[in-house]
Each structure stands twice: as C-alpha cells, then as structure tokens.
C-alpha cells in the first residue's frame, strides 16, 4: 500500500519535471543563469583593484617586529572599507540591470518571461542583504561584522529567500502543504514545521541582539551588575 505522503511528493516532482521540459521555461532559466554569471564576473576587476590598493596603502612589510607598524592610517582603513562595501553591492545591482534587459529582450521576441521576472526579484532581496552587510563592514570591525553576518544577516536572508520562493511559486507547487505526520491528532505540514523553526530562530536572534546591546552599550553606562 503506497504512502499518500510519498505519492504526493512524487506528484510534485513529476510536475516540476514536466515544467522543466517546456522550451520557454528552459530559455528563461538559461537567461537567468547567464545574467547571474555575467553579473558575478563584472565586479572582479574592481575587487582586484581594491585588493591591490589595500596592499599599496599598507606599504612594504617592515623589518620591525612592532605590530603597530603593519597598521595603515585611519583614512586609509576607511577608504578600503568603503571601497569593499561598494564592491559588495555591485553583483546584485548588475543582476537587476541585466535581468531587466533580459526580460525586455524576451518580451520583444514574444517569449514568455514570467518565470524570469519572478527570479529577478531575488536580486532585490540580495541587494538589501548586501547593502546591510556593506554598512556593517564599513562601520564595524571585521570580527564583529563577521559575527553579525553569520548569526543574523545570512540566516535572515535565507529565511526571506525561502519565503519569497514559497510565495512566488505557491500556485505551481504545493509541496509545503503535504502532511508529514500527525501529533495528537494535529496534522503537521512541511510549511508549518519550517514556520516553527523560523520563529524559534528569530526568538534566539532577538535574545542575542538584546544581550549584545546590554553588554556593549547599556551596562558600561551604568553601575548595574553584569550578572543581573
């Protein structure tokens, strides 16, 4: 006897395969991949220039063992930080520009472009993520910026990415509505489980941010006991 849950998953896979066999869908996916590749390659010269400038501003490695001798001046550090922040947002900006051009090209040739238009919206999400990351690296030290990016920005970006894809393709695929199991007579779907995990993570993230704000800004200004 076949499990209806497994059969539902197999039906969704069959629907996906049938969709991928359509020439219009294949053209749009190919266009999106080309746009992504070109948008990623374009900033490489600028990235290499920033790395070269950073080495030039630091100067040759001195023979002295003094660690302070390796540190560039304040304005040099800020310049490199802002240039790296600018390079961080180039990829989604070029993705948006080239994606819009690809949509217009397909439209002029009377080729369906609805899928490509939906996928291009992901560049807006990526742009917001990278703008926040660029500001974080521009104003905070590297260790703090990396910690906040790993703990908050990247997970929240992945949550928004999954949500955007789920909403955008909800009419085509109902994978999230498949019941996985039941607990005390209550059916739990994949969407419900993912939603619970997301809310649990957001609760933890809020606790981490509150702790960092208290330790970094509130407690140093008061005489309160850190344990309290």
């Amino acid at each position: 006897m076949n499990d209806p849950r497994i059969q539902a998953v197999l039906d969704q896979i069959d629907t996906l395969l049938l969709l991928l066999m359509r020439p219009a869908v294949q053209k749009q996916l190919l266009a999106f991949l080309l746009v992504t590749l070109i948008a990623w390659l374009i900033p490489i010269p600028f990235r290499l220039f920033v790395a070269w400038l950073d080495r030039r501003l630091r100067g040759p490695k001195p023979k002295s063992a003094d660690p302070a001798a390796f540190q560039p001046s304040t304005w040099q550090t800020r310049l490199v930080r802002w240039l790296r922040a600018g390079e961080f947002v180039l990829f989604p900006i070029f993705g948006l520009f080239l994606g819009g051009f690809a949509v217009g090209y397909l439209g002029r040739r009377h080729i369906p472009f609805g899928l490509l238009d939906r996928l291009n919206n992901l560049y807006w999400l990526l742009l917001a993520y990278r703008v926040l990351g660029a500001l974080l690296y521009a104003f905070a030290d590297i260790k703090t910026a990396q910690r906040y990016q790993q703990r908050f920005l990247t997970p929240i970006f992945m949550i928004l990415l999954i949500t955007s894809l789920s909403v955008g393709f909800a009419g085509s695929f109902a994978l999230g509505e498949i019941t996985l199991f039941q607990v005390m007579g209550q059916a739990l779907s994949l969407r419900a489980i993912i939603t619970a995990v997301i809310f649990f993570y957001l609760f933890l993230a809020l606790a981490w941010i509150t702790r960092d704000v208290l330790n970094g800004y509130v407690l140093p200004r008061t005489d309160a006991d850190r344990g309290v």
Side-chain angles (χ1 to χ4, degrees):
M1 184 175 181
N2 293 332
D3 191 329
R5 295 170 296 183
I6 297 178
Q7 187 60 44
V9 173
L10 294 177
D11 291 340
Q12 293 297 317
I13 294 176
D14 290 338
T15 302
L16 176 61
L17 294 176
L18 290 174
L19 184 64
L20 293 177
M21 291 176 62
R22 297 179 180 178
V25 172
Q26 295 175 354
K27 291 178 181 179
Q28 292 179 78
L29 290 177
L30 178 60
F32 180 74
L33 292 176
L34 288 176
V35 165
T36 301
L37 178 61
I38 296 173
W40 181 78
L41 290 175
I42 290 178
I44 288 181
F46 183 75
R47 188 181 307 127
L48 295 176
F49 167 75
V50 173
W52 171 83
L53 182 63
D54 187 23
R55 291 193 300 269
R56 292 286 296 178
L57 291 177
R58 288 178 180 273
K61 183 177 179 181
K63 297 181 180 180
S64 173
D66 183 11
F70 293 92
Q71 302 297 325
S73 63
T74 303
W75 74 268
Q76 293 171 336
T77 301
R78 290 179 178 177
L79 175 62
V80 173
R81 279 187 177 185
W82 281 104
L83 288 176
R84 286 178 174 171
E87 183 271 328
F88 202 55
V89 300
L90 288 180
F91 170 50
I93 289 177
F94 281 113
L96 285 170
F97 174 77
L98 295 174
F101 175 81
V103 167
Y105 176 81
L106 294 180
R108 288 191 298 270
R109 291 182 171 270
H110 304 288
I111 300 175
F113 55 84
L115 176 61
L116 179 60
D117 197 29
R118 291 182 184 180
L119 292 175
N120 284 340
N121 291 330
L122 300 180
Y123 286 117
W124 286 108
L125 186 60
L126 180 61
L127 178 61
Y129 163 73
R130 291 211 162 189
V131 166
L132 292 176
L135 293 176
L136 187 62
Y137 278 93
F139 288 102
D141 59 272
I142 295 179
K143 290 184 178 180
T144 301
Q146 289 177 343
R147 185 173 72 253
Y148 273 85
Q149 182 182 14
Q150 294 172 357
R151 283 190 175 184
F152 308 118
L153 286 184
T154 300
I156 290 176
F157 168 74
M158 296 304 298
I159 290 172
L160 294 177
L161 178 64
I162 294 173
T163 303
S164 177
L165 291 174
S166 176
V167 173
F169 297 96
S172 303
F173 304 100
L175 189 61
E177 305 302 330
I178 298 176
T179 300
L180 298 181
F181 51 86
Q182 292 187 353
V183 177
M184 300 179 64
Q186 181 68 33
L188 293 181
S189 65
L190 179 61
R191 184 188 302 276
I193 295 175
I194 293 177
T195 301
V197 172
I198 289 175
F199 275 102
F200 179 69
Y201 170 77
L202 292 178
F203 174 79
L204 292 179
L206 181 61
W208 289 331
I209 293 175
T210 303
R211 181 196 61 189
D212 289 347
V213 171
L214 288 175
N215 291 338
Y217 299 98
V218 177
L219 291 179
R221 301 173 184 271
T222 65
D223 296 328
D225 183 17
R226 182 176 294 271
V228 174

